[in-house]
Amino acid sequence: MPLGDFTPLLARPARAGRADGPATVSRRRPRTGGLSSERLSPFVLIAPAVAVIVLFRLWPLLLGVNFSFTGDGARNGSAVGLDNYAELFADPLFLGALRNVGWLVLLLPIAVAIPGMLATFIYLRVPGHRFYRSVYFFPAVLSPVIVGSIFNLLLSFDGPVNSLLELAGLGPIDWLGDSDVAMFTVVGVHIWATFGMSLVVFLSGFATLDPALLDAARSDGASLPQVIRHVIIPGLSRTIQFVFVTTMIGMLTSMFGLIYVMTSGGPGGSTYLPEYYIWIQQGQMNRPAYASAASTVLFLVMLVVGLAQVSFLRRTGRED
Amino acid sequence: MRGARISRWLIALPMALLALATIYPLVFTGNAAMKTRRDYILDRFAFTDTLRWDNIATAWTSAGTARYFLNSVIVVAGASALLLLLGSMAGFALSHLRFRGSRALFLGCLAALFVPFQVIMVPLVRTMADTGLVDTYPGLILAYTAQYLPFTIYLMTSYYSAIPTEITDAARIDGNTTYGVYRRIMLPMGRPALLSVGVLNALFCWNDVLIALLMMPSAEHRTLMVGVTSLRGQYSADIPTFASGVLIAAVPVLAVYLFFQRRIADAVTAGSTKG
């Protein structure tokens, strides 16, 4: 679900500046003799967490990369070099999935601008801002499965949305059955479901903005677009950066549920994303090694997109 | 000033429409769940005048939903508890104890945050299968714990860092060991953060479908979200029952949201403003 992807990008080790912390071990040792359990206590406290993370998160990453150079089925386990990757980039389904990633990158500014604008209005206290804040956030806590199921109902060809369109004199749209439309429908539903999350992040960024700056701009007679351009965007550059990266990660890693429920990758493979492709290959097609190659490509894509965004936003941030 | 006030109302109108678009889909689903099949086909939009619970009862009993619900509760409770325990222990160690390699461990934990599940799922499932953990409750609980632990540790570490060392020093002078400090000081003082991150983790686990699909292949171990995905095929001609299944899966989330809205938002934004 979307929530899972709000990783604290701008984190800095919380221990910074804590060098004067208690030198527990050495202080207690002389008094109580050996006391090895006390001496080992930090490791005892942290060992279970480290074990879980290493075993089930970091180690599989290496294992997967390694695995992607081996074969499936008859060639199970034998080294096949780059065969999996060559096959991957010859598969129209996978290329389609990558093209859809391209669409996501292009749609990203919209997915960031919508919550950004709404957060600005809420911050400027439009009537009912408290209400909007909690209502907008609500879909973000719903599972993609629930969201997808509901929109399956609403967007089916003879469904309520089309009958509303008919009332307005507009022809029915095959939201999920038309291969030119389906991907945008799914992305639209994803944005509907997650914009509240970015909104809340924006609002917490606004809380760090100096209100005196806004007052000064207003008393100088600045219009709303001017305030946004010259006060809010520069003041929130870190938050905007954070939202860009987390929204991108969210689009690349938490749309599985929606695709699974709404389109199953169809029609005609038009709504495949890499994560769905990986799932199909490893489960339905029983080709885990090949799926690992797709995983490795997804990881590289995310790394490249993430780093490109950060450096791009840094540069534009500096120009301001 | 007057102009500003008018433009505020102009903005408020589309925002109100958007709010409607945010709530209405769930209202529609709830309304559909209360109708008979015939009523739904005749008029989907009209609000039902009677509350009929038999669709809910059908969805609950006949489609295995009750079993799936129980599975979800077991797994979510297990994973949330384990996450809180491991996360608070590690957070305490990383924030207040000085030991060799603590900084490297913290950075490793941050790095793990950026490894998405999709990238590791193939080898992870193989490892789980090799150790006999696939299709067991502990297996899924461990998978969830691994997935959300880095975030939990990050949050607990930054929360605990704000607790002054004077307090832990005083506890030590009173004769507490490190474990005593953890149990008597850190756990009680960490309660607000533990509640926030606990609620958030529970939501993550409850809502997940991909990990559950991979880890629980057999029908009797399905979680509720996986169960909901199979309802659609089962009740394609009976929308009210299908809507009832969706509602059963959504209501616990709705309840948690109404109670803990602020806490959820706090936990979500905790990462964004630091640094």
Side-chain angles (χ1 to χ4, degrees), chain B:
Chain B
M1 224 31 230
R2 249 186 80 95
R5 198 166 299 156
I6 290 167
S7 69
R8 272 187 182 188
W9 281 102
L10 280 180
I11 293 166
L13 183 69
M15 288 186 80
L17 288 176
L18 184 63
L20 196 65
T22 312
I23 304 175
Y24 185 70
L26 200 70
V27 173
F28 179 88
T29 310
N31 191 37
M34 295 296 143
K35 293 186 173 191
T36 61
R37 275 170 75 175
R38 198 173 150 328
D39 285 348
Y40 180 80
I41 291 165
L42 287 179
D43 188 350
R44 287 173 287 216
F45 297 105
F47 279 99
T48 174
D49 44 5
T50 49
L51 291 180
R52 304 172 62 258
W53 301 101
D54 33 331
N55 293 320
I56 303 264
T58 310
W60 178 255
T61 52
S62 71
T65 309
R67 176 67 203 256
Y68 304 153
F69 195 97
L70 180 68
N71 288 340
S72 276
V73 169
I74 291 171
V75 170
V76 168
S80 304
L82 194 58
L83 277 164
L84 288 183
L85 180 69
L86 299 190
S88 61
M89 281 169 22
F92 168 45
L94 289 171
S95 62
H96 278 84
L97 305 178
R98 292 217 302 169
F99 59 98
R100 212 173 247 279
S102 71
R103 201 183 148 72
L105 283 178
F106 186 81
L107 291 177
C109 180
L110 280 187
L113 267 173
F114 292 97
V115 180
F117 180 76
Q118 284 80 357
V119 170
I120 56 164
M121 70 186 201
V122 179
L124 180 69
V125 170
R126 273 171 68 99
T127 311
M128 290 282 189
D130 290 345
T131 45
L133 285 167
V134 165
D135 216 19
T136 64
Y137 293 121
L140 186 54
I141 289 172
L142 266 180
Y144 282 148
T145 305
Q147 179 64 17
Y148 303 118
L149 189 56
F151 177 69
T152 309
I153 291 178
Y154 168 79
L155 220 75
M156 289 317 296
T157 306
S158 44
Y159 186 84
Y160 279 151
S161 295
I163 294 179
T165 47
E166 285 78 16
I167 292 179
T168 52
D169 284 349
R172 282 175 197 286
I173 290 164
D174 289 346
N176 281 299
T177 62
T178 307
Y179 305 109
V181 173
Y182 169 72
R183 211 159 51 81
R184 296 195 187 89
I185 307 293
M186 285 301 169
L187 279 185
M189 287 193 76
R191 214 177 285 153
L194 288 169
L195 187 58
S196 292
V197 74
V199 169
L200 198 62
N201 282 333
L203 276 177
F204 289 160
C205 299
W206 181 267
N207 287 339
D208 164 75
V209 62
L210 177 57
I211 301 176
L213 265 177
L214 286 165
M215 291 296 299
M216 294 297 210
S218 72
E220 82 255 32
H221 285 147
R222 269 183 198 156
T223 61
L224 187 55
M225 289 307 142
V226 178
V228 168
T229 64
S230 63
L231 274 180
R232 173 74 176 169
Q234 222 170 326
Y235 291 101
S236 54
D238 185 359
I239 300 298
T241 306
F242 172 66
S244 300
V246 173
L247 204 62
I248 290 172
V251 160
V253 174
L254 184 64
V256 166
Y257 180 71
L258 290 177
F259 273 109
F260 295 110
Q261 189 190 331
R262 269 327 272 265
R263 298 222 165 259
I264 297 168
D266 285 351
V268 165
T269 56
S272 66
T273 47
K274 299 233 160 58

Side-chain angles (χ1 to χ4, degrees), chain A residues 1 3 8 11 13-15 18 24 38 41 57 60 67 124 132 134 136 139 141 143 158 192 238 253 275 282 295, chain B residues 12 15 21-22 44 94-95 97 103 106 112 115 118 123 126 146-147 154 161 172 178 204 207 214 257 261 275:
Chain A
M1 85 170 247
L3 275 162
R15 280 179 56 86
R18 192 159 280 286
T24 347
E38 191 61 17
S41 61
R57 253 186 110 118
F67 197 39
L124 296 175
Y132 292 136
S134 55
Y136 290 163
V141 299
S143 168
D158 55 352
W192 176 87
R238 300 212 90 166
T253 62
E275 54 171 334
Q282 84 93 41
S295 291
Chain B
M15 288 186 80
T22 312
R44 287 173 287 216
L94 289 171
S95 62
L97 305 178
R103 201 183 148 72
F106 186 81
V115 180
Q118 284 80 357
R126 273 171 68 99
Q147 179 64 17
Y154 168 79
S161 295
R172 282 175 197 286
T178 307
F204 289 160
N207 287 339
L214 286 165
Y257 180 71
Q261 189 190 331

